[in-house]
Amino acid sequence: MPVYRDEAVVLRTHKLGEADRIVTLLSRRHGKIRAVAKGVRRTGSKFGSRLEPFMVADLQLYEGRSLDVIQQAETLGAYGAEIVGDYASYTAANAMVETADRLTEAEGSLQQYLLLVGALRSLSRREHAPGLTLDSYLLRSLSIAGWAPSFGTCSRCGKPGPHDRFVPQLGGVVCEDCAPPGTAHIDSATLALLGALLTGEWALAEASDDSTRSRASGIVAAYLQWHLERGLRSLSHVSREVPPTS
């Protein structure tokens, strides 16, 4: 059976039998992989915590008939413990890996892999508020998948902005002429935050207030749900609490 190596981030795991586990991975070169980690649930397993969700590892696998088998695992990014230790980061990370699972298939995407690894690293280091990191990740992952939202020009006719109507079904903001009847207005601060999250302008994003972040999160969730055709189960558990300032 062919043996291969790849870097991968652990998306989720499931128990198999008494001691094994099925691991779903997003890899750098082979796309999404489902593999068996034999004996991983036994005390003293050679894999230890290397194959827990949110961990990044260098793996050696061999191809099986239905599931590949993990032979070796060396840690590249130990993000799991730091993420699990903070509820807001943990819920955000769960939404990220569920999104990656839904958006990627066997053909894979190097951009999606690098984006997810970078977002998990950022969460583990507390670089930004978890909610901001999550919304930025969601917008960018959708863009890589071919669904980049427009926050400037009208997504329907191309008329230059700014525009203050957002329609998920039409791909972003729309002008007055293209807006369906009853489309709600969006304030300029929320649109500015959405644009900053998409482009990675963190100084602007972090200067936003709680109410603006909440409105932006609702728009991101609606846009994600439209393109995935159903919502993320983990998104309903995301903590949007803002940590107290010291």
Side-chain angles (χ1 to χ4, degrees), residues 98-156:
E98 186 181 350
T99 300
D101 197 2
R102 296 271 292 275
L103 288 178
T104 56
E105 295 301 333
E107 67 271 11
S109 166
L110 175 60
Q111 287 180 295
Q112 291 284 10
Y113 170 79
L114 294 175
L115 178 66
L116 179 59
V117 171
L120 294 174
R121 182 190 301 117
S122 180
L123 279 179
S124 72
R125 295 176 179 176
R126 313 286 191 265
E127 292 178 352
H128 311 289
L132 292 178
T133 303
L134 171 61
D135 288 336
S136 179
Y137 169 80
L138 295 176
L139 290 173
R140 294 186 193 192
S141 63
L142 286 167
S143 297
I144 293 171
W147 299 315
S150 172
F151 297 125
T153 60
C154 176
S155 58
R156 189 171 188 182

Side-chain angles (χ1 to χ4, degrees), residues 52-55 78-94 120 123-124 126:
E52 294 295 329
F54 320 134
M55 299 291 283
Y79 308 133
E82 293 295 329
I83 289 174
V84 171
D86 177 71
Y87 183 73
S89 297
Y90 174 69
T91 56
N94 273 307
L120 294 174
L123 279 179
S124 72
R126 313 286 191 265

Side-chain angles (χ1 to χ4, degrees), residues 5-26:
R5 297 193 72 91
D6 205 346
E7 298 175 12
V9 56
V10 180
L11 303 181
R12 53 191 171 90
T13 65
H14 298 288
K15 293 179 180 178
L16 178 65
E18 295 183 358
D20 303 340
R21 186 172 285 159
I22 296 175
V23 184
T24 302
L25 307 148
L26 178 60

Side-chain angles (χ1 to χ4, degrees), residues 201-239:
E201 297 177 64
W202 288 108
L204 194 160
E206 290 175 336
S208 61
D209 58 35
D210 297 351
S211 60
T212 301
R213 295 182 188 188
S214 179
R215 291 191 295 272
S217 293
I219 292 170
V220 173
Y223 192 68
L224 179 73
Q225 181 172 350
W226 169 258
H227 286 291
L228 294 184
E229 298 182 352
R230 66 180 190 275
L232 297 180
R233 289 175 297 175
S234 55
L235 202 58
S236 62
H237 301 293
V238 168
S239 171

